[in-house]
Amino acid sequence: VVFTASLLFPKRVVSVFAVFSLLVCHSFLPMDRWYFLPGYVLSAFAAILLAAPVTSRKAVISAGFKLSLVNTLILGFTKEIFSRNVASSDIYYALASGVVAGAASLIVLPYLEAIFGRMSPISLVEMSDTNKPLMKRMMVDAPGTYHHSLVTAALAEAACYAIGASGPLARVGAYYHDIGKLFKPEYFIENQIYSGNPHDTVSPTMSSMVLMAHVKEGVDLAGRNKLNSKIIEFIEEHHGASLILQFYHKAVTKDVNVEERDFRYDGIKPRSRETAVVMLADSVEAASRTLSALKPSAIADTVKKVVNNKFVDGQLNDAPLTLRDIETITEVMTRALCGILHVRYPKTDESSAGPSPTESYAEENKVE
């Protein structure tokens, strides 16, 4: 039970749970076999340590074999320290315990993920595969959104690692946060490569409604594809209650009595560090596409402006982020964007280039 819990919850939570489960086990333990309790304690915490780095199904079985070996050694030390006779059946149980724990974890893990609304490292690795049906559909039907999601994922993962949040969870959430754009991809600027802008022919109110609808449509699509509730949170929260500034300003120029709330997303503000980071990464990546000069100073100013606007607008009020976290996120995203948007200098044509360094050296040092 402790081994399986270690695949879903943080070490501290599982450690408390392990102590509680050991107390329960102790209440059923016969008094003449009390000496097994220290072995149970060591075995439980060995399970926590062995399950923590697991990221694949093969690694689960490997960790199970190691746990079996640890349990057998614990049983041997128990026999020597307490001078007790250990039945052969106990040795068989110890040898089988870790392997059975690993196999049982693989069987029940999908059900526990659905019940507790969590994702194990194994599921995160599997969901990060870009060959999944939804990702392949996005690659074909909305290539601009697909590329935007990949860059957003890179920014979010780097920022989450820097503040101690779950980088893999943020990466997977960023991959799927915009799947709602698959219904009307041509209405989103990143997909308007070869076609005109349909927003030029509709009212600002209609444009904002189309944009806001991609959140609800994304949630519905995720539900039909049975995505984990943790991923759905990213779809629901990546815009929060943000204002669609472009179309709001466009509407104000036509009618000063326009209500601002009509141009705000009717979403949920980010409630976790990971969803908040993805919100910031999403906006930062979009804003970076408007830069005319890809200079580090311009990138840094853009990132600061985007993050500050989200903070001032109250979109981060429900997220457990500190001011230090926000400062770190800003620095990391600036550094990452400078690497992603770096400028390449054009290659010099060899026919028009001057003499090579070797030729120049020979020319300068030739002997009369």
Side-chain angles (χ1 to χ4, degrees), residues 22-44:
L22 289 169
L23 292 175
V24 173
C25 290
H26 180 61
S27 64
F28 290 99
L29 198 65
M31 290 302 297
D32 61 338
R33 295 173 72 85
W34 63 268
Y35 54 88
F36 273 108
L37 187 60
Y40 288 159
V41 174
L42 293 175
S43 178

Side-chain angles (χ1 to χ4, degrees), residues 280-292:
L280 295 176
D282 179 40
S283 299
V284 164
E285 198 283 333
S288 69
R289 299 299 173 184
T290 64
L291 291 174
S292 55

Side-chain angles (χ1 to χ4, degrees), residues 26-27 30 120 122 130 141 149 185 226 262 283 325 336 362:
H26 180 61
S27 64
S120 67
I122 301 171
T130 54
D141 296 341
S149 298
K226 299 181 180 179
D262 294 335
S283 299
D325 288 338

Side-chain angles (χ1 to χ4, degrees), residues 60-92:
V60 171
I61 300 301
S62 177
F65 276 110
K66 292 176 183 177
L67 184 58
S68 290
L69 178 60
V70 169
N71 288 344
T72 305
L73 292 174
I74 290 173
L75 191 65
F77 282 121
T78 300
K79 176 183 177 182
E80 294 297 327
I81 293 173
F82 296 101
S83 300
R84 298 282 181 169
N85 292 325
V86 177
S88 58
S89 60
D90 291 332
I91 297 176
Y92 296 145

Side-chain angles (χ1 to χ4, degrees), residues 151-152 154-155 158 280-281 283-289 291 294-296 298-300 302-304 306 330-343:
V151 178
T152 300
L155 296 175
L280 295 176
S283 299
V284 164
E285 198 283 333
S288 69
R289 299 299 173 184
L291 291 174
L294 300 180
K295 297 179 180 179
I299 294 173
T302 299
V303 174
K304 289 179 182 178
V306 169
T330 304
E331 293 174 357
V332 171
M333 288 189 180
T334 300
R335 189 165 59 248
L337 263 183
C338 287
I340 294 171
L341 302 178
H342 67 281
V343 178

Side-chain angles (χ1 to χ4, degrees), residues 76-336:
F77 282 121
T78 300
K79 176 183 177 182
E80 294 297 327
I81 293 173
F82 296 101
S83 300
R84 298 282 181 169
N85 292 325
V86 177
S88 58
S89 60
D90 291 332
I91 297 176
Y92 296 145
Y93 289 143
L95 285 170
S97 59
V99 179
V100 171
S105 297
L106 293 178
I107 295 172
V108 302
L109 203 54
Y111 302 101
L112 294 178
E113 287 179 338
I115 293 172
F116 292 102
R118 301 187 65 87
M119 293 189 72
S120 67
I122 301 171
S123 295
L124 288 174
V125 170
E126 292 176 348
M127 289 302 297
S128 64
D129 182 7
T130 54
N131 286 316
K132 292 289 185 180
L134 277 177
M135 295 300 294
K136 294 187 75 172
R137 180 181 166 188
M138 190 187 299
M139 190 188 307
V140 175
D141 296 341
T145 300
Y146 174 78
H147 180 263
H148 159 73
S149 298
L150 294 183
V151 178
T152 300
L155 296 175
E157 183 175 20
C160 281
Y161 277 130
I163 64 173
S166 175
L169 177 59
R171 181 179 72 247
V172 174
Y175 281 167
Y176 290 90
H177 79 284
D178 265 345
I179 58 174
K181 293 182 179 180
L182 285 170
F183 290 93
K184 292 183 178 67
E186 69 278 4
Y187 277 84
F188 299 90
I189 192 168
E190 67 267 21
N191 300 312
Q192 296 169 4
I193 302 173
Y194 302 112
S195 61
N197 190 346
H199 293 291
D200 294 337
T201 60
V202 298
S203 66
T205 303
M206 182 60 67
S207 294
S208 64
M209 289 176 63
V210 173
L211 264 61
M212 287 187 286
H214 88 273
V215 174
K216 182 179 183 299
E217 290 169 344
V219 172
D220 293 340
L221 184 60
R224 291 201 300 271
N225 284 267
K226 299 181 180 179
L227 297 186
N228 189 281
S229 60
K230 294 297 289 185
I231 296 178
I232 296 178
E233 288 178 5
F234 286 90
I235 303 172
E236 291 176 321
E237 301 174 14
H238 78 277
H239 279 300
S242 300
L243 178 66
I244 306 177
L245 204 58
Q246 176 188 357
F247 295 115
Y248 174 67
H249 285 166
K250 187 177 178 180
V252 168
T253 59
K254 296 181 178 180
D255 182 5
V256 293
N257 297 318
V258 168
E259 293 286 343
E260 182 181 295
R261 64 172 178 268
D262 294 335
F263 291 84
R264 283 191 177 273
Y265 283 94
D266 186 23
I268 304 170
K269 294 180 181 180
R271 296 168 294 180
S272 68
R273 292 190 295 175
E274 291 81 8
T275 55
V277 169
V278 168
M279 167 188 270
L280 295 176
D282 179 40
S283 299
V284 164
E285 198 283 333
S288 69
R289 299 299 173 184
T290 64
L291 291 174
S292 55
L294 300 180
K295 297 179 180 179
S297 58
I299 294 173
D301 290 341
T302 299
V303 174
K304 289 179 182 178
K305 182 178 179 180
V306 169
V307 174
N308 185 63
N309 287 345
K310 292 295 183 185
F311 179 77
V312 172
D313 195 35
Q315 300 306 312
L316 303 178
N317 287 356
D318 297 337
L321 292 175
T322 65
L323 291 176
R324 184 182 295 274
D325 288 338
I326 295 174
E327 183 179 355
T328 301
I329 291 168
T330 304
E331 293 174 357
V332 171
M333 288 189 180
T334 300
R335 189 165 59 248

